[in-house]
Amino acid sequence: MNVRLTRLLLALSALSVSATASAEQSLQLNLTRGVTNISNKVYDLHMLVFYICLAIGVIVFGAMFWSILRHRKSRGVKPATFHDNVKVEIAWTIIPFLILFAMAVPATITLIKMDDTSDSDISVLVTGSQWRWHYSYLEYDVEYQSIMATPREQIYGRLPQTENYLLEVDRPLVIPTGKKVRFLITSDDVIHSWWVPEFAVKKDANPGYINEAWTRVDEPGIYRGQCAELCGRDHAFMPVVVIAKEPADFEAWIRGEEERLRTAREEEQRLLSMQMSMDELMELGQQTYMAQCAACHQPNGQGIPGVFPGLAGVGVSVGDQQAHIDVVVNGARGTAMQAYRNTLSMRELAAVITYERNAWGNNTGDMVQAADIHHFIQGNQ
Amino acid sequence: MSTIVTDTHSAHDAHDHHDHHPKGIKRWLFTTNHKDIGTMYLWFSLIMFFVGGSMALMIRAELFQPGMQIVDPHFFNQMTTMHGVIMVFGAVMPAFVGLANWMIPMMIGAPDMALPRMNNWSFWILPFAFLIMLSSFFMPGGAPAFGWTFYAPLSTTYSTDSTALFVFSMHIMGMSSIMGAINVIVTIMNMRAPGMSYMKMPLFVWTWFITAFLLIAVMPVLAGVVTMVLTDKYFGTAFFDAAGGGDPVLFQHLFWFFGHPEVYIMILPSFGIVSAIIPAFARKPLFGYASMVYATAAIAGLSFLVWAHHMFTTGMPTFASLFFMYMTMLIAVPTGVKVFNWVSTMWRGAMTFETPMLFSLAFVVLFTIGGFSGIMLAITPVDYQYHDTYFVVAHFHYVLVSGAVFSIMAAAYYWLPKWSGVMYDTFLSKLHFWCSLISVNILFFPMHFVGLAGMPRRIPDYALQFADINAIVSVGGFLFGFSQLIFLAVCIKCALKKGEPAPAKPWEGAEGLEWTVPSPAPYHTFDVPPVIK
Amino acid sequence: MSETPEQKPQRQDNSRVITRLLGSVIIMFAFGFALVPLYEKFCEITGFNGRTSNTAATANYGMEVDQTRVVTVEFHTRVSRGIPWEFQPEVRSIRVHPGEVKVVNFYVENRTGKDVVAQALPSVSPGEASLYLNKTECFCFEQQPLAAGERAVMPMQFYLDPDLPAHIHRFTLSYMMYDLTDQVRVTTTASRSE
């Protein structure tokens, strides 16, 4: 059986559902074949089981419809009276068993391959948290978080939706082609599930435990996936984007990242003494707030009653400044509030806290500078 | 199955002298009559079916096109959660208990259920359970939003306070189910008419007998799990909290230890219903009665050994994945036996196609399609791709809607003349069938495609490539939802006794004790047990 | 319902069945809870969830060191929300021979003005490897109190069982540091009030 035939079969069944479905050329109806050896094996397995089911279906439903057409009272048939046949019954117990055995063999072989994470060339720690992915390269000094890049305006219909709607991130994961990449997967809060259909990799991110998966991608390209396990309000909005680059390009990229992160840290230290103006703080703060905080606390700072606390006129944003810094820097235990210490720069932390203390009529007039954050983190208060 | 010699005299006798009962609300509040309680269960489940259905329509309305148009994502999650909980615990399970109440005593020649007062109690706590559950919509943060599977820690540390109400109402529902199951078991064991041996019982009784044991085995485990969720959230235990040495994956093991037998709790009585209806309209005895009983028992037994097939992506060691994959595949064998038996029952019969038969035939085909996708899902490596996508949603809606719900409707049409004493409106019932059959496939079949193409489940918004199919699915959803209003109309007409008076046995080929009593069935039946030879 | 003599013995029969069924209900409820320790035991035996033992293994210095094999052990640390600590291993990974005893230090610093009690919980992947990882000494066995601004070096001494399956060439040991300050405060105040 070839792919075309499969497509045709599936398209035909789709046609029976809707004429419009076949109108679009790119409409995907079947499982993603994917770009790895494993994902191809998985696809073949999927098709094998599908065809077996199809064949059984044709036989069983064929017999049934034959019976419906021929053995109807309106044709004046006399009903037979048989109600047992040991031989037949044994046959249709044994035969399915053998068919299942035929499916189990390739499934077992593929599964053992998928579970074998040994001899990997590079390891990436993938950490899920509400609602973003955090990637950390174990062999390199590079880590960053990856947030959905689709603007809220597109989600709420104020801007037209663009091609990769909901499947685009600010900073994709980058992996080398032709190398066995091992993913260590865990979570900071609830259970998430890291899924890239084109790698046939889906693994749950369990808080407090690590899971493993691996892939070897041969084709450079951009591959998109999503979180697959219900993880709260914005479960739909934590996509996975992976870019596979040729090893040399990857090496150049990761060295560049290391360099960039190092200079950023140095720059941060150098600028610690720099005072930002209120306007600068508010501008950067608003940007940071919209990207990092608005999903829960909402753009208007109202939060969602009973779920996410509001910041406008209540809580830490109009209370003690040190407590406010503490909760943003370290997160709050047992809540969705995560620690931003390692994900935001001190300037951004300062700005977002200043923004929260002065936006939506909070008007505390407080200004927090990067140096204050540095001071807090160093524990010298 | 069995040769039945009825004591028509006694049935007649009962009709004359015992048909006295209180009128009005008191009749329903204090009734211990299995028929009254059955009726209340059935109406309750129908109401819940519409409540849960309207939540599904809200879900489908939001998913009609990409982008957020109607509800907030948090409210969307409340909808998916409550839709699942209500349909499972409020619609399908009470409908089966209602059918059991009405039919089991009449099928085995018993005057009533064995424990009539407990029967009353097990029904009446149910509406309160759902009032508690639904009242959580008015709490700050709204109703539970963690899915009907309430995975920890989303349902513990990260949930709103509605969790407490959720747990409490789950406890009450569990108690109701356990009491119902005890009642069924005691009734079947002790109340059978003389001569009604176990292997002469109708398959509906058999399947319910086995279902009741499943309920006894797993509902207490569910009660334990929700209790652990409650103590984890409010009393500082750490069953599922890694920080205290617990394991969130343990929650899933416990939940699915309940959850997979629960799946069979919702389908085994369907097998019994279909096994009663197909022979009746094929005018031919059920093929392989004994193998049906054994297959049901085999499915029930295996259902305790397959739970982790819901959890292949949680990161199990290979040996565990393989074990659960093989066990799951194995369950296809007894299920296949059932389908083959039904088809053989039709083979060389003399079939007619009244509405109960139409729903049963649709059940066989559509449930089998759900079975096929079930086999596909059992294959662990491929399940990594299917898991938590719309492919799974399509799968379990095929087995639960066009499976369990269709069988309940078949049962309703089959026994409505017996319950109400009037024939249902044939035109409306056929209209209901054809509308349901077409719309249920528009609703659920394309979900397979969108799931294979990579759309995760439980998302309020999706990428653009899924848009066309979701629009079709939503249209199907609304068609299916509104088609059920026809069913409501049929039921109301019967309840108001508008229709042709039904004879004691309206179906030519029907077998069983229930057809030996007049229609409508008198308030008390089989006060003097019939004799079965 | 009229009570006929035949129904009398049946009633007793009912109560026996009901008692048994209620007994089963109670047993299954208890079984639900019993599954928790059973699961833990099962994990301990099979390495199902990748937790390592939380008690010290006896040091076995005379053990044969398998010089022919080298296994890479990777270390990774994380700090849970709300706990203002720095927590790092001294090395990202080491290569060891099975049977060889190694010590790895973990550095921890409480950088804020709060006294904190925390505990690190280990997770090993692949889980199977956790069966062969024997820790003779580990900070993760106990809760770690750290006063404001305090630093500490926490050692972890371990060896790999030479029976480690041949297909494992590398595994990861991850520690997640959890803040237990509140729980500890509750228990200490409770014990004080006694």
Side-chain angles (χ1 to χ4, degrees):
Chain A
M1 297 273 185
N2 58 30
V3 190
R4 288 179 68 125
L5 186 62
T6 317
R7 289 237 179 90
L8 195 72
L9 273 171
L10 285 162
L12 276 175
S13 30
L15 262 177
S16 64
V17 177
S18 155
T20 59
S22 61
E24 197 150 326
Q25 281 296 306
S26 64
L27 190 67
Q28 187 189 350
L29 299 171
N30 199 358
L31 192 67
T32 308
R33 185 180 258 285
V35 292
T36 65
N37 179 289
I38 287 288
S39 76
N40 275 283
K41 283 202 163 66
V42 165
Y43 178 86
D44 293 341
L45 206 50
H46 156 76
M47 290 319 293
L48 171 77
V49 183
F50 171 72
Y51 286 128
I52 290 175
C53 288
L54 197 67
I56 298 171
V58 167
I59 296 166
V60 173
F61 299 149
M64 184 171 156
F65 283 107
W66 176 264
S67 184
I68 288 173
L69 288 176
R70 308 287 298 187
H71 309 143
R72 44 170 69 216
K73 198 189 175 198
S74 53
R75 289 170 55 97
V77 291
K78 278 256 168 285
T81 52
F82 68 86
H83 54 78
D84 253 330
N85 188 330
V86 179
K87 276 184 198 151
V88 172
E89 286 174 66
I90 289 174
W92 66 41
T93 311
I94 305 267
I95 294 169
F97 195 83
L98 296 176
I99 295 172
L100 290 170
F101 189 77
M103 292 184 205
V105 173
T108 306
I109 295 168
T110 309
L111 182 67
I112 289 171
K113 279 212 184 93
M114 287 175 103
D115 279 359
D116 178 16
T117 53
S118 59
D119 300 323
S120 60
D121 302 307
I122 169 173
S123 301
V124 183
L125 180 83
V126 179
T127 310
S129 62
Q130 285 178 325
W131 292 279
R132 58 198 69 193
W133 295 102
H134 188 274
Y135 300 115
S136 164
Y137 292 83
L138 295 190
E139 287 88 355
Y140 303 90
D141 215 0
V142 174
E143 58 176 304
Y144 54 87
Q145 65 170 7
S146 173
I147 306 181
M148 185 177 76
T150 304
R152 295 174 66 90
E153 286 74 20
Q154 288 192 17
I155 297 171
Y156 288 95
R158 292 189 290 271
L159 280 177
Q161 288 145 353
T162 47
E163 193 194 346
N164 292 313
Y165 177 68
L166 300 188
L167 296 178
E168 51 204 343
V169 296
D170 58 348
R171 307 198 59 198
L173 175 67
V174 181
I175 57 169
T177 55
K179 296 268 164 89
K180 184 164 182 174
V181 183
R182 183 174 64 132
F183 302 108
L184 290 162
I185 300 168
T186 186
S187 165
D188 266 352
D189 38 45
V190 299
I191 298 171
H192 303 271
S193 193
W194 197 79
W195 180 31
V196 181
E198 272 156 315
F199 305 163
V201 169
K202 184 188 285 152
K203 217 37 151 198
D204 287 2
N206 297 320
Y209 292 82
I210 49 174
N211 260 333
E212 278 188 306
W214 68 272
T215 193
R216 189 195 300 272
V217 184
D218 295 320
E219 282 294 299
I222 303 175
Y223 306 104
R224 296 171 198 277
Q226 279 180 276
C227 174
E229 181 64 62
L230 177 64
C231 55
R233 182 174 182 271
D234 284 0
H235 166 50
F237 308 128
M238 53 183 295
V240 175
V241 180
V242 182
I243 298 180
K245 288 184 190 227
E246 299 281 0
D249 295 346
F250 172 78
E251 201 62 28
W253 174 84
I254 198 126
R255 295 297 167 206
E257 276 304 290
E258 281 181 321
E259 181 63 24
R260 199 184 62 75
L261 287 168
R262 192 169 53 246
T263 46
R265 272 195 292 272
E266 284 166 11
E267 182 81 353
E268 181 158 70
Q269 289 299 322
R270 207 164 54 76
L271 291 178
L272 270 180
S273 54
M274 199 182 88
Q275 296 282 313
M276 288 171 81
S277 75
M278 189 62 155
D279 288 345
E280 285 172 314
L281 283 168
M282 288 298 278
E283 197 194 327
L284 178 62
Q286 185 175 20
Q287 255 174 35
T288 314
Y289 182 85
M290 288 305 165
Q292 306 280 345
C293 319
C296 301
H297 297 295
Q298 302 300 300
N300 59 7
Q302 294 293 331
I304 296 178
V307 190
F308 304 119
L311 300 175
V314 289
V316 286
S317 347
V318 288
D320 176 40
Q321 184 173 308
Q322 288 299 314
H324 192 179
I325 296 174
D326 184 22
V327 78
V328 176
V329 169
N330 293 318
R333 192 165 64 90
T335 70
M337 181 64 199
Q338 46 206 282
Y340 285 93
R341 185 177 33 196
N342 295 326
T343 42
L344 294 181
S345 71
M346 290 187 203
R347 269 160 57 92
E348 287 168 323
L349 284 166
V352 81
I353 293 167
T354 306
Y355 177 74
E356 288 170 357
R357 298 185 77 75
N358 293 286
W360 325 293
N362 281 355
N363 301 333
T364 56
D366 296 340
M367 273 165 66
V368 180
Q369 297 290 348
D372 300 327
I373 304 291
H374 180 71
H375 197 67
F376 178 83
I377 289 176
Q378 293 305 313
N380 300 328
Q381 68 268 61
Chain B
M1 235 178 310
S2 56
T3 330
I4 297 146
V5 179
T6 30
D7 193 341
T8 44
H9 177 73
S10 73
H12 190 241
D13 205 39
H15 190 51
D16 281 348
H17 301 295
H18 294 271
D19 212 1
H20 305 297
H21 44 74
K23 301 281 176 211
I25 187 80
K26 271 194 170 171
R27 165 179 173 187
W28 299 106
L29 268 181
F30 300 118
T31 184
T32 55
N33 180 287
H34 74 103
K35 300 185 182 78
D36 282 353
I37 293 171
T39 306
M40 289 194 295
Y41 263 114
L42 290 169
W43 278 111
F44 176 78
S45 84
L46 190 60
I47 293 165
M48 281 297 146
F49 182 59
F50 282 105
V51 173
S54 52
M55 291 173 180
L57 292 190
M58 225 155 338
I59 293 169
R60 283 321 319 174
E62 178 57 58
L63 290 173
F64 182 66
Q65 47 174 288
M68 301 299 305
Q69 291 89 19
I70 299 168
V71 297
D72 179 83
H74 182 65
F75 187 75
F76 183 91
N77 289 346
Q78 296 174 37
M79 287 291 105
T80 52
T81 306
M82 297 306 279
H83 165 72
V85 171
I86 288 177
M87 287 306 200
V88 168
F89 296 100
V92 174
M93 286 170 71
F96 282 135
V97 181
L99 291 171
N101 257 295
W102 252 104
M103 302 320 299
I104 287 176
M106 296 211 314
M107 284 176 158
I108 61 172
D112 203 311
M113 296 294 277
L115 312 162
R117 276 179 290 265
M118 191 168 90
N119 205 8
N120 171 291
W121 188 235
S122 74
F123 171 75
W124 274 111
I125 59 175
L126 209 48
F128 293 97
F130 280 91
L131 277 180
I132 292 168
M133 180 80 84
L134 289 169
S135 68
S136 62
F137 274 108
F138 302 102
M139 293 179 77
F146 34 65
W148 85 278
T149 51
F150 59 105
Y151 278 12
L154 190 59
S155 61
T156 56
T157 317
Y158 298 89
S159 69
T160 63
D161 281 334
S162 57
T163 307
L165 296 192
F166 174 84
V167 169
F168 188 43
S169 69
M170 283 296 228
H171 275 141
I172 303 176
M173 284 173 217
M175 274 190 258
S176 164
S177 293
I178 287 168
M179 286 195 277
I182 290 177
N183 217 340
V184 166
I185 292 172
V186 178
T187 306
I188 294 172
M189 286 177 80
N190 289 344
M191 306 277 286
R192 277 168 292 129
M196 175 65 78
S197 66
Y198 278 115
M199 289 314 271
K200 278 183 184 169
M201 294 194 309
L203 259 175
F204 179 70
V205 181
W206 253 117
T207 52
W208 238 114
F209 193 46
I210 292 167
T211 303
F213 280 106
L214 285 183
L215 280 167
I216 298 274
V218 299
M219 290 314 277
V221 177
L222 175 69
V225 180
V226 292
T227 310
M228 291 180 213
V229 164
L230 187 78
T231 58
D232 262 19
K233 185 165 172 63
Y234 292 105
F235 303 107
T237 59
F239 291 106
F240 313 128
D241 182 5
D247 186 347
V249 175
L250 170 64
F251 171 87
Q252 296 176 38
H253 283 291
L254 294 179
F255 177 80
W256 288 113
F257 184 83
F258 146 80
H260 203 79
E262 168 70 17
V263 170
Y264 290 98
I265 287 166
M266 291 190 284
I267 203 67
L268 292 185
S270 302
F271 293 164
I273 292 164
V274 172
S275 303
I277 294 175
I278 289 178
F281 296 96
R283 291 166 183 76
K284 191 165 152 278
L286 181 71
F287 188 88
Y289 171 85
S291 69
M292 283 296 217
V293 174
Y294 301 140
T296 311
I299 292 171
L302 281 172
S303 75
F304 288 99
L305 297 172
V306 298
W307 78 86
H309 69 210
H310 299 267
M311 308 168 49
F312 285 141
T313 64
T314 56
M316 272 186 286
T318 314
F319 74 87
S321 296
L322 287 175
F323 172 79
F324 287 109
M325 173 170 83
Y326 298 151
M327 283 297 144
T328 308
M329 291 169 89
L330 210 54
I331 237 173
V333 175
T335 316
V337 165
K338 285 182 168 289
V339 175
F340 300 145
N341 281 347
W342 291 321
V343 175
S344 307
T345 308
M346 292 175 220
W347 192 255
R348 290 180 53 211
M351 276 192 272
T352 52
F353 302 94
E354 287 85 348
T355 315
M357 183 62 161
L358 290 176
F359 270 104
S360 299
L361 294 175
F363 169 93
V364 174
V365 174
L366 301 179
F367 172 78
T368 307
I369 292 177
F372 288 148
S373 53
I375 295 175
M376 296 172 82
L377 282 160
I379 313 290
T380 315
V382 204
D383 179 74
Y384 286 155
Q385 290 283 50
Y386 304 144
H387 180 72
D388 267 332
T389 68
Y390 261 80
F391 190 79
V392 178
V393 179
H395 159 72
F396 68 73
H397 281 94
Y398 260 86
V399 291
L400 283 177
V401 179
S402 54
V405 173
F406 269 31
S407 79
I408 292 165
M409 282 163 178
Y413 284 117
Y414 187 56
W415 286 308
L416 256 176
K418 182 57 63 192
W419 300 337
S420 66
V422 295
M423 293 302 286
Y424 54 78
D425 187 316
T426 314
F427 171 74
L428 282 184
S429 73
K430 296 226 159 144
L431 184 70
H432 172 224
F433 170 74
W434 289 108
C435 287
S436 297
L437 179 72
I438 293 164
S439 59
V440 87
N441 284 295
I442 300 176
L443 168 55
F444 296 123
F445 203 74
M447 282 186 185
H448 290 116
F449 300 133
V450 86
L452 291 175
M455 178 169 161
R457 62 190 283 211
R458 292 167 164 169
I459 54 172
D461 194 6
Y462 48 82
L464 300 179
Q465 66 262 38
F466 309 130
D468 292 345
I469 291 179
N470 269 289
I472 300 166
V473 168
S474 286
V475 169
F478 277 86
L479 289 176
F480 183 75
F482 286 103
S483 302
Q484 303 321 307
L485 293 174
I486 309 171
F487 182 63
L488 182 66
V490 174
C491 292
I492 289 174
K493 272 187 88 172
C494 283
L496 298 174
K497 316 274 178 201
K498 294 225 166 68
E500 299 272 307
K505 186 178 155 191
W507 318 117
E508 187 191 353
E511 291 228 22
L513 287 177
E514 73 264 35
W515 307 111
T516 62
V517 300
S519 299
Y523 201 60
H524 297 289
T525 39
F526 301 125
D527 269 354
V528 177
V531 180
I532 295 112
K533 276 185 189 156
Chain C
M1 219 194 317
S2 57
E3 251 179 48
T4 53
E6 305 93 80
Q7 279 173 318
K8 276 250 166 86
Q10 198 183 64
R11 281 266 171 88
Q12 283 165 359
D13 214 358
N14 279 359
S15 60
R16 215 182 63 205
V17 179
I18 296 166
T19 318
R20 282 187 187 171
L21 291 174
L22 282 176
S24 320
V25 168
I26 293 161
I27 288 168
M28 287 312 290
F29 186 71
F31 177 68
F33 283 87
L35 280 172
V36 177
L38 279 174
Y39 175 76
E40 275 162 20
K41 197 76 204 164
F42 183 73
C43 291
E44 207 181 300
I45 296 166
T46 62
F48 201 80
N49 66 354
R51 270 277 184 266
T52 56
S53 172
N54 55 5
T55 48
T58 40
N60 192 350
Y61 290 98
M63 193 187 310
E64 190 87 15
V65 175
D66 185 353
Q67 298 288 355
T68 59
R69 289 176 65 197
V70 184
V71 178
T72 306
V73 183
E74 296 173 335
F75 302 102
H76 187 264
T77 53
R78 292 187 67 75
V79 178
S80 86
R81 274 180 199 159
I83 164 169
W85 284 21
E86 292 296 321
F87 175 40
Q88 294 294 337
E90 67 177 339
V91 283
R92 277 199 187 133
S93 68
I94 55 167
R95 293 158 68 76
V96 291
H97 300 295
E100 186 184 4
V101 178
K102 283 267 182 182
V103 179
V104 176
N105 286 320
F106 287 71
Y107 298 114
V108 65
E109 183 183 353
N110 180 0
R111 281 190 165 176
T112 54
K114 281 188 271 183
D115 295 354
V116 174
V117 178
Q119 185 160 19
L121 283 157
S123 177
V124 171
S125 188
E128 194 185 359
S130 68
L131 297 177
Y132 305 91
L133 172 66
N134 296 303
K135 295 186 226 172
T136 46
E137 191 190 331
C138 181
F139 55 92
C140 59
F141 297 152
E142 283 132 33
Q143 295 176 346
Q144 306 290 327
L146 214 60
E150 196 182 341
R151 287 161 190 252
V153 177
M154 306 190 298
M156 195 267 290
Q157 188 183 54
F158 72 99
Y159 66 90
L160 299 181
D161 196 315
D163 293 338
L164 183 79
H167 66 88
I168 299 180
H169 307 289
R170 176 218 298 261
F171 67 87
T172 306
L173 172 58
S174 159
Y175 282 107
M176 180 91 170
M177 188 69 89
Y178 284 100
D179 182 1
L180 299 179
T181 314
D182 292 351
Q183 274 110 309
V184 174
R185 201 172 293 141
V186 171
T187 39
T188 46
T189 38
S191 53
R192 250 178 241 144
S193 62
E194 268 168 25

